[in-house]
Amino acid sequence: MNTIITTMNKNKEILLEKVTLNIGAGTETANVDKAVALLNTISGMKAVQAKARRRIANFKIRPGLPIGSVVTLRGTKAREILQRLLKAVENKIKEESFTQNGFSFGIKEYIDIPEVKYDPKIGVIGLHVNVALARRGFRVKRRKVRNAKISSKHEISAKESAEWAQKELGISFKVEEEQQW
């Protein structure tokens, strides 16, 4: 009886931790409300307002002022939404978008997302998608009691993030064309 035993270390396996959708709406409260409504529509979950933490006089921002909206998705819902959002950018992401422990990309207009229809009350808004990747054991550095550092060997490099995205999600790299002036 010939049995093949794979010795893949489960702790080295890369997992999708969370997908975060952001819309920066500025200081107009009407725009913030539109951003919250849009994220509720796209994700099917309740979005929250992002509030300013610091005062920036040039932009007329003060602490506590709503300036955008955010929704975080985890588990199977995150994977489903991520696959829909990748269709909006035709499964192409810039190679520079991959960073340590994740990647991010932007969608210029929400109407590019499949199954999302144009809403005249919202208008045309873009959004930013952040994808966080993790390995088993990452909780050690975030827990409150007895937190500890994680070895650099256990971190996910930008190259590993890109390879995971290509294998799991079918992403290809977007090549920037030079502009002709």
Side-chain angles (χ1 to χ4, degrees), residues 66-173:
I67 56 173
S69 64
V70 180
V71 65
T72 301
L73 306 161
R74 296 176 195 273
T76 57
K77 182 85 170 173
R79 193 174 202 82
E80 292 168 9
I81 296 287
L82 179 59
Q83 288 172 339
R84 277 183 43 210
L85 295 172
L86 285 170
K87 287 178 186 172
V89 293
E90 299 169 354
N91 282 353
K92 293 183 180 179
I93 299 177
K94 292 181 191 174
E95 200 167 354
E96 301 88 49
S97 297
F98 290 91
T99 59
Q100 185 176 8
N101 298 332
F103 61 95
S104 60
F105 61 95
I107 299 174
K108 291 183 180 179
E109 298 176 352
Y110 74 90
I111 55 177
D112 294 336
I113 303 169
E115 302 167 14
V116 177
K117 294 192 169 119
Y118 176 74
D119 185 359
K121 294 175 190 169
I122 295 175
V124 178
I125 302 175
L127 62 131
H128 195 81
V129 181
N130 295 314
V131 179
L133 303 175
R135 286 193 167 120
R136 288 179 172 86
F138 269 34
R139 181 182 167 277
V140 169
K141 71 179 181 181
R142 288 191 214 109
R143 64 187 179 192
K144 284 187 176 183
V145 178
R146 293 189 63 201
N147 65 339
K149 292 183 180 179
I150 290 180
S151 169
S152 60
K153 293 177 187 176
H154 201 63
E155 293 285 340
I156 302 169
S157 68
K159 184 180 175 187
E160 289 175 321
S161 296
E163 289 171 359
W164 179 87
Q166 283 179 324
K167 189 179 112 194
E168 295 287 323
L169 303 171
I171 291 176
S172 60
F173 295 121

Side-chain angles (χ1 to χ4, degrees), residues 26-37:
T27 56
E28 296 277 330
T29 56
N31 290 344
V32 174
D33 293 338
K34 289 177 185 179
V36 170

